[in-house]
């Protein structure tokens, strides 16, 4: 029988519930258990695809094309749990299902209510992930206990032990224990209140994970346990990890969380096999080089807007014994100040994906600077489209070249709308989404990086490289090194007489893991490192 773990959060948001859930899943997997993961988001949007990155951070895309919460990125980076549309539910999706059922007449004349109809739908979505080949399902509830929107979800998970037995369920609650400088002590009261709120709903946490800046001491842990009705060994502290998020599992293992979960759920698990991970942590702690990459975007001040890109750069650094220092540059600022001022001295330049016109001219300037100064350049999605526009303007001489996303009437629409997007009217879930095959040109940089002729990558866009311009670009030195299987869509472009200039229409950042960095990020960081080493030797 599949066991269920529920992870809730209290006191404040942004405690790293996603990271903690992913770390727990990884530890269970490394003990030989088969795990499924899921995020339940109480907001009303059907998915985060229609939300601004300022609201929500990055939208994380899965192979099946679902646009999901960025916590699913942590799940994929830490575990091998297969993720799909059923791995992220929002209130919007749940209500949509309930309302569609009501319209089909499936409730047979009943009044449709939050309890039991909405809660039953939530329970179906949770239990639907279980099955004969799944040992544990971990469901993480977004938001904080006490949020109005979260109540139906809490009510649903409260009921699950009644359906499948208390012994098959485990509630983990994550809270904050702040240190008050003025009082010079840590405060456990907010945690007590948060657990009280949970218990009012009828949920008694089995394990408490208390987030804290520094260790809070055995006395405090004991006190929390007593007030919250949780046994002492199940109150676990999780201190801030300043070096790397990949240290989180280690802290949890040191407090015996895997053993605690295995015992409490009566799981049959093998010994912990984490050697590769621990070796990786050693490499992270002892880098031999530092390499600086500029990321030129428009949501730069939001720490999570380019989450997977920053993670992928780190992963590539791990495999080159390097620490990657990211210089975050606001594209509009770069346009104002000029690229020289902000980009001289960096070892590589990356332009990520995005939507809308703001910042585009700054991104194009950054790309011109990278191309003309032989600085390794990596463009992703909108970053590739900007690279095409830059080349059209400054090499082909089409000064007005643009994307029809920004100037619908441009004389040179080198980026234009995908044919099957032209009839689309709704915004939600209608882009070209998810995994697509791509054929690589033999001998190209892309093929060298991947080491194989056909790849699969995830997409999220409406516009494409205009095929009518293909020959002009090829004749002038921009290679199309990756195409869709039928040869129509340009998926990768490269500039040949350059140390490393490659841009992709897809999102490689969604497929990089710390122990298996993405081949293109690895290639890019290697080129940047080579430039760094050549320059530092030159100046010695
Ligand atoms: N706005 C561009 C498009 O829709 C790029 C999208 C992206 O970068 N994800 O094609």
């Amino acid at each position: 029988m599949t066991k269920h773990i529920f992870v809730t959060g209290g006191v404040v948001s942004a405690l790293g519930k996603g990271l903690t859930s992913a770390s727990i899943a990884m530890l269970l997997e490394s003990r030989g258990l088969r795990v499924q993961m899921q995020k339940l988001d109480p907001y009303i949007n059907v998915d985060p695809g229609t939300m601004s990155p300022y609201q929500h951070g990055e939208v994380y895309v899965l192979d099946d094309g679902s646009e999901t919460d960025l916590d699913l990125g942590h799940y994929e980076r830490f575990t091998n749990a297969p993720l799909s549309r059923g791995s992220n539910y929002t209130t919007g999706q749940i209500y949509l299902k309930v309302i569609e059922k009501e319209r089909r007449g499936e409730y047979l004349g009943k009044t449709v209510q939050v309890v039991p109809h909405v809660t039953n739908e939530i329970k179906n979505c949770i239990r639907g992930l279980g099955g004969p080949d799944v040992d544990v399902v971990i469901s993480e509830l977004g938001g904080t206990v006490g949020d109005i929107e979260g109540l139906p979800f809490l009510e649903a998970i409260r009921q699950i032990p009644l359906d499948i037995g208390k012994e098959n369920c485990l509630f983990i609650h994550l809270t904050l224990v702040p240190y008050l400088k003025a009082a010079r002590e840590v405060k456990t009261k907010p945690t007590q209140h948060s657990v009280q709120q949970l218990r009012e709903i009828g949920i008694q946490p089995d394990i408490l994970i208390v987030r804290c800046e520094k260790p809070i001491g055995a006395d405090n842990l004991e006190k929390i346990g007593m007030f919250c009705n949780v046994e002492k060994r199940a109150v676990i502290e999780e201190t801030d990890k300043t070096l790397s998020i990949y240290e989180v599992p280690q802290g949890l293992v040191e407090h015996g969380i895997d053993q605690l979960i295995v015992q409490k759920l009566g799981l049959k698990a093998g010994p912990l096999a984490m050697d590769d991970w621990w070796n990786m942590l050693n490499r992270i702690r002892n880098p031999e080089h530092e390499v600086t990459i500029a990321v030129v975007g428009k949501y730069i001040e939001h720490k999570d807007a380019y989450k997977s890109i920053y993670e992928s750069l780190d992963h590539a650094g791990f495999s080159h014994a390097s620490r990657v220092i990211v210089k975050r540059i606001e594209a509009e600022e770069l346009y104002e100040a000029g690229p020289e001022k902000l980009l001289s001295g960096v070892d590589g330049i990356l332009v990520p994906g995005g939507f809308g016109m703001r910042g585009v001219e700054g991104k194009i300037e950054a790309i011109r600077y990278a191309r003309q100064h032989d600085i390794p350049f990596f463009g992703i999605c909108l970053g590739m489209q900007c690279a095409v526009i830059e080349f059209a303007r400054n090499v082909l001489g089409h000064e007005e070249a643009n994307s029809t996303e920004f100037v619908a009437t441009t004389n040179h629409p080198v980026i234009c709308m995908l044919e099957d997007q032209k009839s689309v009217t709704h915004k939600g879930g209608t882009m070209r989404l998810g995994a697509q095959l791509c054929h690589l040109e033999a001998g190209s940089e892309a093929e060298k990086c991947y080491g194989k002729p056909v790849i699969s990558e995830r997409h999220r866009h409406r516009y494409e490289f205009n095929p009518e311009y293909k020959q002009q670009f090829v004749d002038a030195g921009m290679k199309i090194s990756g195409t869709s299987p039928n040869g129509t869509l340009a998926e990768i472009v490269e500039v040949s007489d350059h140390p490393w200039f490659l841009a992709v229409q897809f999102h490689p950042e969604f497929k990089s893991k710390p122990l298996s960095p993405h081949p293109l990020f690895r290639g890019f960081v290697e080129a940047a490192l080579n430039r760094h080493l050549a320059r530092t030797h030159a100046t010695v």
Side-chain angles (χ1 to χ4, degrees):
M1 166 159 211
T2 303
K3 312 273 180 169
H4 285 266
I5 297 179
F6 304 103
V7 182
T8 54
V11 182
V12 291
S13 58
L15 285 178
K17 246 188 321 185
L19 270 175
T20 303
S21 305
S23 301
I24 290 171
M26 182 176 76
L27 297 175
L28 296 181
E29 268 190 353
S30 82
R31 295 194 59 169
L33 296 163
R34 295 157 304 174
V35 181
Q36 283 271 1
M37 300 203 72
Q38 176 180 60
K39 176 87 192 278
L40 304 168
D41 278 310
Y43 53 74
I44 315 280
N45 303 61
V46 171
D47 61 42
T50 50
M51 275 190 244
S52 150
Y54 283 121
Q55 292 277 309
H56 194 268
E58 159 187 287
V59 175
Y60 189 81
V61 181
L62 302 181
D63 270 343
D64 69 3
S66 21
E67 297 173 279
T68 70
D69 183 76
L70 54 79
D71 275 332
L72 276 79
H74 291 313
Y75 301 172
E76 281 207 322
R77 287 187 280 271
F78 280 73
T79 76
N80 298 312
L83 299 186
S84 65
R85 219 160 274 283
S87 315
N88 191 191
Y89 283 102
T90 66
T91 294
Q93 267 172 68
I94 301 284
Y95 271 81
L96 203 57
K97 279 173 184 277
V98 171
I99 290 169
E100 279 168 359
K101 273 191 188 168
E102 189 275 336
R103 291 290 83 184
R104 286 196 299 268
E106 287 182 27
Y107 293 111
L108 303 175
K110 292 212 176 81
T111 306
V112 182
Q113 295 177 300
V114 173
V115 184
H117 303 103
V118 169
T119 46
N120 280 351
E121 201 58 56
I122 296 172
K123 288 199 287 183
N124 289 344
C125 293
I126 294 172
R127 296 205 42 210
L129 274 192
D133 50 359
V134 181
D135 297 311
V136 183
V137 172
I138 301 183
S139 303
E140 177 199 345
L141 178 57
T144 313
V145 170
D147 296 347
I148 292 176
E149 288 171 339
L151 282 174
F153 288 95
L154 287 169
E155 169 58 19
I157 64 176
R158 181 194 69 79
Q159 292 175 15
I160 290 184
L162 299 178
D163 299 340
I164 64 170
K166 203 171 170 332
E167 67 287 2
N168 296 316
C169 299
L170 191 80
F171 290 93
I172 300 180
H173 189 55
L174 216 82
T175 69
L176 175 73
V177 173
Y179 174 76
L180 290 196
K181 258 201 204 126
R184 282 208 227 123
E185 47 180 26
V186 294
K187 288 292 174 195
T188 64
K189 192 70 86 187
T191 293
Q192 295 175 37
H193 281 159
S194 167
V195 173
Q196 251 168 34
Q197 245 177 330
L198 209 51
R199 291 170 70 193
E200 269 167 30
I201 294 161
I203 296 172
Q204 166 64 53
D206 301 291
I207 296 178
L208 273 181
I209 299 180
V210 294
R211 295 278 292 103
C212 42
E213 241 175 273
K214 296 194 178 103
I216 59 170
D219 288 353
N220 278 315
L221 292 172
E222 196 171 340
K223 182 173 154 194
I224 292 170
M226 188 192 54
F227 279 109
C228 298
N229 197 29
V230 174
E231 57 175 326
K232 195 167 115 192
R233 63 178 185 134
V235 184
I236 289 174
E237 63 185 3
E238 190 185 307
T239 51
D240 290 351
K241 302 285 175 281
T242 44
L243 181 68
S244 167
I245 56 169
Y246 301 109
E247 291 182 301
V248 173
Q250 193 176 32
L252 292 171
V253 167
E254 280 163 10
H255 290 95
I257 196 156
D258 55 309
Q259 195 48 27
L260 198 61
I261 294 173
V262 164
Q263 265 179 17
K264 281 185 181 279
L265 283 176
L267 292 160
K268 283 192 200 66
L272 198 66
M274 291 283 292
D275 286 352
D276 287 353
W277 195 270
W278 305 151
N279 290 337
M280 176 189 78
L281 288 185
N282 275 338
R283 287 200 302 278
I284 297 176
R285 288 175 186 137
N286 303 297
E288 288 167 27
H289 314 286
E290 278 186 352
V291 48
T292 306
I293 304 289
V295 173
V296 183
K298 84 168 175 182
Y299 311 109
I300 284 300
E301 71 272 33
H302 191 297
K303 84 175 192 347
D304 286 337
Y306 304 116
K307 183 105 201 149
S308 295
I309 286 183
Y310 298 143
E311 293 305 322
S312 304
L313 286 170
D314 276 349
H315 305 161
F318 304 159
S319 67
H320 292 301
S322 301
R323 190 162 86 91
V324 175
I325 300 168
V326 173
K327 187 171 179 190
R328 301 175 182 209
I329 299 175
E330 185 62 60
E332 281 181 309
E333 218 173 289
L334 183 137
Y335 190 69
E336 296 288 308
E340 185 77 36
K341 187 140 180 253
L342 294 169
L343 293 175
S344 62
V346 306
D347 305 310
I349 297 172
L350 187 150
V351 175
F355 296 83
M357 176 133 202
R358 186 172 72 76
V360 162
E361 292 302 322
K363 292 173 189 174
I364 292 172
E365 267 304 279
I367 296 168
R368 182 182 63 75
Y369 189 81
R371 190 176 53 76
Q372 292 177 342
H373 291 79
D374 283 348
I375 303 173
F377 167 73
F378 193 12
I380 293 178
C381 209
L382 181 62
M384 164 177 151
Q385 298 174 356
C386 288
V388 169
I389 297 169
E390 189 280 320
F391 199 86
R393 288 184 189 175
N394 301 317
V395 179
L396 302 181
H398 300 321
E399 277 168 33
E400 287 171 36
N402 219 320
S403 163
T404 53
E405 180 180 1
F406 312 129
V407 180
T409 55
T410 172
N411 289 337
H412 287 289
V414 290
I415 303 293
C416 60
M417 192 175 262
L418 285 156
E419 202 45 48
D420 51 12
Q421 285 289 321
K422 291 184 179 156
S423 55
V424 169
T425 50
H426 281 40
K427 288 270 183 269
T430 55
M431 283 187 245
R432 179 177 181 231
L433 287 166
Q436 310 277 342
L437 292 180
C438 168
H439 290 232
L440 304 179
E441 186 186 289
S444 62
E445 185 61 34
E447 196 221 29
K448 214 170 91 194
C449 288
Y450 281 100
K452 55 183 177 186
V454 182
I455 54 156
S456 168
E457 293 283 2
R458 299 178 190 172
H459 293 250
R460 184 172 186 254
H461 64 116
R462 292 188 205 280
Y463 294 82
E464 62 158 328
F465 182 118
N466 187 341
E468 282 175 24
Y469 283 86
K470 188 173 163 186
Q471 204 51 51
Q472 288 186 42
F473 278 83
V474 173
D475 292 345
M478 183 175 263
K479 188 190 281 186
I480 297 172
S481 60
T483 46
S484 55
N486 63 6
T488 53
L489 301 175
E491 309 281 33
I492 309 179
V493 297
E494 295 178 20
V495 170
S496 319
D497 58 343
H498 189 281
W500 208 91
F501 190 108
L502 190 147
V504 295
Q505 185 58 78
F506 46 81
H507 289 273
E509 72 272 25
F510 297 144
K511 289 184 72 171
S512 184
K513 290 179 172 227
L515 287 174
S516 50
H518 191 283
L520 294 180
F521 277 91
R522 223 171 38 208
F524 171 57
V525 169
E526 185 179 319
L529 182 61
N530 286 338
R531 174 181 162 86
H532 174 77
L533 294 176
R535 287 192 335 147
T536 40
H537 284 130
T539 55
V540 168

